[in-house]
Amino acid sequence: MAITTTATEEAPVVIKPVSGSSVKFTFGIRSAFHCEPTSSYITLEGVELDGNTDETDFWCIVAQDLWSEDGNPDGGGLAVILDGQHITIRNNLIRDCYQKGVEIRDGRYVVVEGNIIQSIANTSLS
């Protein structure tokens, strides 16, 4: 899901479950959330991002040649891609991705804290 919202410090956008409930995003595409370069003042908090790659580990990635054009395994690759500014990824459960949990590309002033990141085949944060 591409996020292109340009919020402000006075009126930020917060994506989180309603109090007392939980939200699980199971994704089988390249990424669950991609904060585009125009995004700002966004917080993703308290959700579960499941890349659904229970059977994939680092050695599976090497064997399948992840970076070839047709080598991507089933499931989600990157849970969150950060390109915008003033973005916070807090207290989420990020798991079962074949590439990365959180990737900071052109993101500035980003905060990644309190997340549980498990079963990531390549790296958890880059």
Side-chain angles (χ1 to χ4, degrees):
M1 171 188 323
I3 299 173
T4 58
T5 301
T6 304
T8 64
E9 187 173 9
E10 296 78 26
V13 170
V14 179
I15 302 168
K16 68 179 187 177
V18 174
S19 183
S21 65
S22 63
V23 172
K24 178 179 180 180
F25 292 99
T26 300
F27 63 102
I29 54 175
R30 196 67 153 162
S31 66
F33 289 97
H34 181 179
C35 295
E36 299 284 344
T38 57
S39 300
S40 60
Y41 293 100
I42 297 171
T43 298
L44 177 64
E45 183 174 5
V47 300
E48 179 179 350
L49 302 174
D50 183 355
N52 203 28
T53 59
D54 297 341
E55 300 301 317
T56 303
D57 62 11
F58 175 78
W59 297 110
C60 175
I61 298 305
V62 171
Q64 292 189 32
D65 191 13
L66 167 68
W67 293 276
S68 70
E69 194 168 307
D70 61 348
N72 292 337
D74 292 334
L78 302 147
V80 182
I81 301 171
L82 300 176
D83 276 328
Q85 52 186 327
H86 300 286
I87 299 173
T88 302
I89 307 300
R90 177 184 300 133
N91 300 331
N92 300 290
L93 171 58
I94 300 171
R95 63 187 182 95
D96 294 321
C97 299
Y98 67 76
Q99 196 170 38
K100 297 174 186 164
V102 178
E103 181 173 81
I104 302 169
R105 291 185 179 169
D106 293 326
R108 296 175 17 155
Y109 315 114
V110 298
V111 176
V112 180
E113 67 181 4
N115 298 288
I116 297 171
I117 300 177
Q118 63 186 29
S119 298
I120 306 295
N122 192 2
T123 59
S124 58
L125 174 65
S126 71

